[in-house]
Amino acid sequence: DNVSPIQEPRTKLTDQLTNLGFRVWPSQANFVMVRPPEGNAKDLYESLKQRGILVRYFNEISLKDKLRISVGTDEENTVLVNALKELVI
C-alpha cells in the first residue's frame, strides 16, 4: 500500500472544510487551498492568528480570497476546524 501518510488527514480535513462551506481545491500536497464561504480570507487569517493558529494568506489579486492551510496532525486539524466553526457559522 503506497498511500502517503498525509492522504488520510488531508481527505478528512478537506471533507470538514467542505462541510463548513469552504471551496477546497484538489491537492496532492501537504496543504490545501481554500476559499472561505464569504471570501473573507484576510479576516479569517487574522482571527486564526490571534488564536495562535497559523495559515498562509497571500495579498495578491488572484489569491486574496483564499487561504493555504497545511495539513497537520489530527489534533491540530481538529483545533483548526473547531476555530473555523466559531468564526464562519
Side-chain angles (χ1 to χ4, degrees), residues 4 23-24 26 31 49 53 56-57 60 62 65 76 80:
S4 79
R23 160 80 161 90
V24 183
F31 64 87
K49 187 175 171 184
I53 301 170
R56 295 291 305 272
Y57 171 74
E60 298 176 18
S62 63
D65 63 341
E76 290 167 335
L80 168 72

Side-chain angles (χ1 to χ4, degrees), residues 17-18 20-26 32-37 66-67:
L17 293 171
T18 301
L20 288 175
F22 284 75
R23 160 80 161 90
V24 183
W25 278 263
V32 291
M33 185 68 73
V34 303
R35 182 185 182 280
K66 299 171 187 72
L67 295 171

Side-chain angles (χ1 to χ4, degrees), residues 1-11 27-30:
D1 192 349
N2 283 341
V3 175
S4 79
I6 201 76
Q7 189 171 347
E8 185 178 325
R10 184 183 58 226
T11 299
S27 173
Q28 299 299 314
N30 66 340

Side-chain angles (χ1 to χ4, degrees), residues 37-89:
E38 304 295 323
N40 58 339
K42 186 173 185 181
D43 294 340
L44 278 179
Y45 163 76
E46 296 291 347
S47 296
L48 290 169
K49 187 175 171 184
Q50 289 174 354
R51 295 168 182 237
I53 301 170
L54 299 180
V55 298
R56 295 291 305 272
Y57 171 74
F58 302 95
N59 193 15
E60 298 176 18
I61 291 190
S62 63
L63 296 173
K64 68 181 181 176
D65 63 341
K66 299 171 187 72
L67 295 171
R68 185 186 131 164
I69 300 175
S70 294
V71 178
T73 63
D74 280 345
E75 183 180 337
E76 290 167 335
N77 292 342
T78 298
V79 169
L80 168 72
V81 170
N82 287 339
L84 288 172
K85 282 179 185 175
E86 293 176 18
L87 295 167
V88 173
I89 295 175

